[in-house]
Amino acid sequence: MSRADVVTVPPPPSALRPLVLPEREEFTAADGLRVILVEDRRVPFVTLRLVVRAGSAHDPANLPGVAALTAHCLTQGTLRRRSFQFARAVEELGATLEAHANRDYSTISASVLAENLTPLLKLMAETVMQPAFAPDEVELAKENTIQTLRYQRTQPAFLARERYAQVLFGNHPYSRIAPTEESVHAMTPDTLRQFHVGNYTPDNSLLVVVGAVEASQLRKALDKVFAGWQPKGVTHEPHEQPPSRERRTVHLVDRPGSVQVNLLIGHLAPRPNDPDFLALEVTNTALGGRAGSRLFMNVREQKGFAYDVSSHLSQHREASTFSMSAQVRPEVVGEAVEEMLKEVEVLRHNGITQSELDSTKNYLNGTFSIHLSTQGGIAGEIVAIEMLELPKDSMETYRERVQSITLEAVRDVVQRHLFPDRMAIVAVGEAERIQPLLEPFGEVEVRPAI
């Protein structure tokens, strides 16, 4: 093969093929549990997501971490089984069952062979309705949480995320990304029971099921295993709005001995259900959401300032963020910040090119289709639609809506939502070396890493 025969340009993408998704069926089971079923028989499995609107944003102000510890302890024993007995019962079904909490909600996730669905539903109902919160299990979970917290506090990436959330969210509960040792020590089994009783109710929950099961069979099993789970009219108090940003601020977490600097730069962004969010997602992907993006090609490939640099658009129910991140050598931190801010400024002046737009659309639509190829991917999209209050047809129409984004739409959302002169710059590194390099971007607030 001659050099001229070597293909150096990728073939043009083909037209979108129809995305055929199974129908969603919705019904209410037992005493008020809302259920969304997608009957999917491509494989003989069933995937479940029981979602409870009880995330870290619902922690009591003086006890950050309650939602996470409550979710963790759900699977550490019930009133009928000790922790090891419960784990063994799940294993004997060849199933998985775990629980965790994020900022907006807690999730009990499970998967199982279709033939073992009913016994797994019994175990799921046990965790939700009859958790033991046994003192020895709670103490073990608390000790593990504290050890994890101590490890996290040695990590510059964690320190950067912690300070970044404090700066952007102010008094809003999203400003807390982890508990404190004091709050963990203060938690007792009764603390977790109180949080559980106040939040884990059918009218505050949603069950998403994807897999090889018929609606009639599922409803019959749910009516039986969740019988007696009573609604309580759960309501959530509104939170204080995050502060608006009028100018750029610089925040340095002094970590003596750091051999590199962890950077986070950004500000708040529209909520996921905002009409501008999708165009902003396309813009963010072109800027720093993938290899070959502007930040990647400039800061990493051309300047060599960082091994990894990217941008990210978070999705949360009450407020999202636009963030750029990088880990750079201390001596180039000023130049790296300048280049990252400059890329946003260039976007504001020039937008992106047609080639970038086409490539970004292909990337987003391709990864979205791959995401929906699994039961877990479909279940995750339905949970996002319900918890983030997205349009009901978001999953079915995503690719066509991405295709409809124009260069003009990108220019408009950049003007409305990206402001380099209002961004927070958070750096974790050795203050003595990097503070002078950050001062050109604004007055530097310095705090010790603790």
Side-chain angles (χ1 to χ4, degrees), residues 13 113 154 166 180 223 247 254 334 346 381 422:
L113 280 169
T154 68
Q166 292 168 351
T180 63
D223 284 344
R247 62 185 178 87
D254 182 20
V346 170
E381 284 301 314
R422 301 181 198 172

Side-chain angles (χ1 to χ4, degrees), residues 225-246:
V225 301
F226 282 101
W229 197 25
Q230 294 293 324
K232 296 181 179 177
V234 176
T235 59
H236 297 292
E237 294 294 324
H239 297 121
E240 180 176 329
Q241 289 294 312
S244 59
R245 296 187 57 80
E246 303 300 329

Side-chain angles (χ1 to χ4, degrees), residues 108-372:
I108 298 97
S109 304
S111 62
V112 67
L113 280 169
E115 63 196 56
N116 290 334
L117 175 60
T118 298
L120 181 74
L121 287 173
K122 291 179 181 176
L123 294 174
M124 176 178 275
E126 232 178 273
T127 64
V128 176
M129 298 168 65
Q130 301 176 319
F133 300 123
D136 57 337
E137 296 293 345
V138 173
E139 282 304 310
L140 179 60
K142 287 170 60 178
E143 182 59 34
N144 288 338
T145 300
I146 289 172
Q147 294 302 323
T148 299
L149 188 59
R150 289 175 179 172
Y151 168 75
Q152 288 176 322
R153 302 209 68 80
T154 68
Q155 302 301 302
F158 173 84
L159 297 175
R161 290 192 297 111
E162 180 182 57
R163 186 67 190 126
Y164 189 67
Q166 292 168 351
V167 171
L168 292 193
F169 291 110
N171 293 326
H172 189 280
Y174 285 176
S175 64
R176 304 187 300 256
I177 68 166
T180 63
E181 288 197 29
E182 291 74 18
S183 69
V184 175
H185 281 303
M187 294 178 203
T188 68
D190 283 342
T191 308
L192 306 190
R193 289 191 188 99
Q194 186 176 0
F195 186 84
H196 172 265
V197 168
N199 291 282
Y200 282 73
T201 64
D203 54 328
N204 197 39
S205 304
L206 166 72
L207 178 62
V208 176
V209 181
V210 182
V213 57
E214 293 180 354
S216 58
Q217 175 195 351
L218 178 63
R219 185 198 296 258
K220 182 178 179 181
L222 293 174
D223 284 344
K224 185 175 182 180
V225 301
F226 282 101
W229 197 25
Q230 294 293 324
K232 296 181 179 177
V234 176
T235 59
H236 297 292
E237 294 294 324
H239 297 121
E240 180 176 329
Q241 289 294 312
S244 59
R245 296 187 57 80
E246 303 300 329
R247 62 185 178 87
R248 183 187 298 154
T249 56
V250 186
H251 310 268
L252 170 55
V253 179
D254 182 20
R255 187 172 181 270
S258 287
V259 297
Q260 66 175 8
V261 182
N262 284 64
L263 284 171
L264 273 174
I265 304 173
H267 51 40
L268 297 179
R271 295 176 59 197
N273 59 2
D274 188 284
D276 284 348
F277 193 88
L278 188 60
L280 197 57
E281 181 182 1
V282 171
T283 306
N284 169 69
T285 304
L287 173 66
R290 52 181 290 207
S293 65
R294 291 188 173 194
L295 286 173
F296 185 92
M297 296 305 295
N298 180 3
V299 178
R300 174 188 152 126
E301 294 295 299
Q302 295 175 17
K303 303 295 191 306
F305 292 154
Y307 178 76
D308 189 27
V309 59
S310 62
S311 64
H312 178 65
L313 197 57
S314 72
Q315 298 191 39
H316 301 299
R317 184 181 175 87
E318 298 184 31
S320 298
T321 58
F322 163 78
S323 309
M324 298 182 285
S325 64
Q327 299 82 48
V328 303
R329 305 190 307 278
E331 61 269 25
V332 300
V333 65
E335 295 170 271
V337 171
E338 184 176 355
E339 290 299 323
M340 293 164 78
L341 293 173
K342 188 183 77 175
E343 288 295 348
V344 182
E345 199 63 62
V346 170
L347 269 183
R348 286 183 58 83
H349 283 93
N350 304 327
I352 62 176
T353 66
Q354 186 65 53
S355 174
E356 286 177 303
L357 179 62
D358 293 341
S359 173
T360 300
K361 289 178 178 179
N362 293 335
Y363 172 78
L364 288 173
N365 280 335
T367 53
F368 185 75
S369 298
I370 292 172
H371 178 59
L372 293 185

Side-chain angles (χ1 to χ4, degrees), residues 368-401:
F368 185 75
S369 298
I370 292 172
H371 178 59
L372 293 185
S373 66
T374 66
Q375 292 182 355
I378 295 174
E381 284 301 314
I382 296 173
V383 169
I385 288 170
E386 297 295 328
M387 292 296 109
L388 301 178
E389 299 179 321
L390 305 179
K392 297 297 184 186
D393 62 351
S394 291
M395 185 165 57
E396 289 80 2
T397 63
Y398 177 86
R399 298 190 311 164
E400 285 72 20
R401 287 185 292 118

